[in-house]
Amino acid sequence: MKLTDFDFDLPQTLIATRPARPRRSARLLVAQGEVIHDARVTDLGHLLQPGDRLVLNDTKVIPARLSGRRHRHGAPGEGAAKIEVTLLEPGADGTWSALIKPLRKVREGEDIVFSDALSAVLVAKGEGQGRLRFNLTGDDFDAALDAAGAMPLPPYIAAKRPADAQDREDYQTVWARNAGAVAAPTASLHFDEVVLDDLRARGVTFTHVTLHVGAGTFLPVKVEDVTSHKMHAEWGEVSAQAAAEIAETRAAGGRIIPVGTTALRLIETAARATGEIVPWQGDTDIFIYPGFEFRVTDALMTNFHLPKSTLMMLVSALMGQDEIRRIYAHAVAQGYRFFSYGDASLLIPAPNPDRRDTSATD
């Protein structure tokens, strides 16, 4: 299975740098089996069925992008220089791993000042990342980060424009509640209370899970044989309540539809051991590519993904490689907007009589 199998031509003009407004006005490509038709997110209530359950990732994006100045004391090289930092994840010892530019010019022990309230010391360097110890912890750190930080827009947006105040709202889901992500679960950005109320009224139910999306979601695949790719790990949790809700819906014959690949990866992780959804917590590095056996997922709502990305491999696993090529060709031809702030798709694979057979192993 080659990396080039997941490539396609994408005009740069289709890369969205701002979301649709209102959120629910985004376009929605619906692929059910071999049938493709064009709709809007506002049509979801007519497309889903009573008894369907949407699985929503309730992670909250932190303003993880910081601009500061390093301060070096003593000869040689005393002085200050601009430093750009993107926080990745906290460590058990209270430090943060971070992408630092330019990392090579910052020495261990140097101070980086981000605001009058917030600063950090570089305590270690390695593998293209640094580890920072901030001067604040707990609520004080959260408040100072909120004041000094910017939303960590994906590289393909950040290359076109800087993050601004509008991104504080645009790059956050309406149900975000558990802070810890440095990238948004972007399929969820299309929902607002109007859509949610309409779905509830039509008998669609919701389950919340948490997967803290990491910056590794944007890392390119560098191996030609995709089966040898090593996925980044992200922390997630499927609570006992969430597992029970999903199991109840499955038992009643309803469909389980994750909103976003993050929610999908998490619930499939929670079903790996036994074949059934169970409470689960920990770091997942599950890699889903063609040949994967889905244990829980019946359909998926997701945005349009980067060529040659692991997410292209995931949707190809769900729908089939030939079908995904056809879906993406349609999306390009019809001018759908791509990536994090782009339009969405509702992918419903052809019925698989073995989909709910949990006797097989990985």
Side-chain angles (χ1 to χ4, degrees):
M1 198 175 303
K2 296 180 179 180
L3 183 59
T4 52
D5 293 338
F6 303 94
D7 197 9
F8 63 94
D9 292 327
L10 177 67
Q12 290 292 301
T13 55
L14 296 184
I15 299 176
T17 59
R18 295 285 186 183
R21 289 193 174 83
R23 294 173 180 233
R24 62 184 180 275
S25 67
R27 298 175 70 190
L28 180 68
L29 184 156
V30 183
Q32 185 162 13
E34 297 182 353
V35 177
I36 297 175
H37 70 273
D38 303 308
R40 298 275 174 181
V41 172
T42 51
D43 299 321
L44 270 175
H46 301 288
L47 298 167
L48 302 181
Q49 303 167 3
D52 285 344
R53 182 173 295 276
L54 296 182
V55 182
L56 313 177
N57 185 0
D58 63 12
T59 190
K60 185 175 183 179
V61 182
I62 63 173
R65 188 153 292 160
L66 292 161
S67 294
R69 298 189 72 82
R70 66 172 172 82
H71 290 266
R72 178 175 296 168
H73 304 288
E78 183 172 350
K82 186 177 180 180
I83 299 294
E84 298 294 330
V85 169
T86 300
L87 301 181
L88 298 179
E89 61 181 356
D93 61 355
T95 63
W96 279 80
S97 62
L99 299 175
I100 301 174
K101 295 181 180 180
L103 180 61
R104 62 183 177 81
K105 292 189 176 181
V106 187
R107 298 176 182 174
E108 293 180 8
E110 282 192 70
D111 296 318
I112 304 175
V113 177
F114 302 107
S115 70
D116 291 342
L118 188 65
S119 63
V121 175
L122 180 68
V123 296
K125 292 198 295 185
E127 298 183 357
Q129 299 179 11
R131 186 158 289 279
L132 299 173
R133 185 177 300 280
F134 284 89
N135 62 319
L136 300 173
T137 59
D139 292 342
D140 292 336
F141 170 76
D142 292 342
L145 179 65
D146 187 66
M151 292 304 255
L153 294 181
Y156 40 78
I157 296 177
K160 295 176 180 290
R161 65 168 183 84
D164 57 27
Q166 186 61 48
D167 293 304
R168 291 289 187 118
E169 177 182 345
D170 289 344
Y171 203 57
Q172 198 78 270
T173 68
V174 296
W175 54 71
R177 62 188 183 192
N178 291 315
V182 297
T186 55
S188 300
L189 298 178
H190 299 295
F191 287 76
D192 58 18
E193 293 302 331
V194 173
V195 172
L196 293 173
D197 288 344
D198 181 54
L199 292 172
R200 289 189 189 98
R202 295 175 185 272
V204 175
T205 55
F206 309 100
T207 286
H208 290 267
V209 297
T210 304
L211 185 87
H212 290 325
V213 192
T217 191
F218 303 117
L219 291 176
V221 178
K222 297 181 178 181
V223 294
E224 183 57 28
D225 177 5
V226 301
T227 62
S228 63
H229 174 69
K230 174 63 176 175
M231 284 287 289
H232 60 284
E234 295 167 319
W235 185 91
E237 179 181 18
V238 177
S239 67
Q241 177 181 342
E245 290 171 352
I246 292 170
E248 180 182 357
T249 294
R250 282 168 54 81
R255 296 182 299 180
I256 303 300
I257 306 174
V259 176
T261 57
T262 61
L264 183 151
R265 292 178 65 240
L266 182 58
I267 62 174
E268 291 297 333
T269 297
R272 286 300 92 189
T274 66
E276 294 289 346
I277 188 76
V278 296
W280 187 89
Q281 182 185 102
D283 292 323
T284 177
D285 61 358
I286 190 171
F287 181 20
I288 298 176
Y289 55 87
F292 181 87
E293 180 191 356
F294 292 89
R295 302 274 178 79
V296 186
T297 302
D298 295 300
L300 170 68
M301 182 172 169
T302 187
N303 283 17
F304 294 97
H305 303 297
L306 284 162
K308 298 193 289 188
S309 66
T310 58
L311 301 184
M312 276 296 293
M313 297 168 199
L314 184 153
V315 295
S316 296
L318 182 69
M319 299 298 289
Q321 287 177 265
D322 290 342
E323 185 62 19
I324 280 295
R325 290 189 191 100
R326 192 169 70 92
I327 290 168
Y328 271 62
H330 177 92
V332 170
Q334 295 300 314
Y336 277 78
R337 301 164 74 242
F338 274 64
F339 305 159
S340 294
Y341 274 155
D343 296 315
S345 62
L346 179 62
L347 305 178
I348 308 172
N352 182 351
D354 298 324
R355 177 62 59 84
R356 294 178 183 271
D357 179 4
T358 60
S359 61
T361 58
D362 288 339

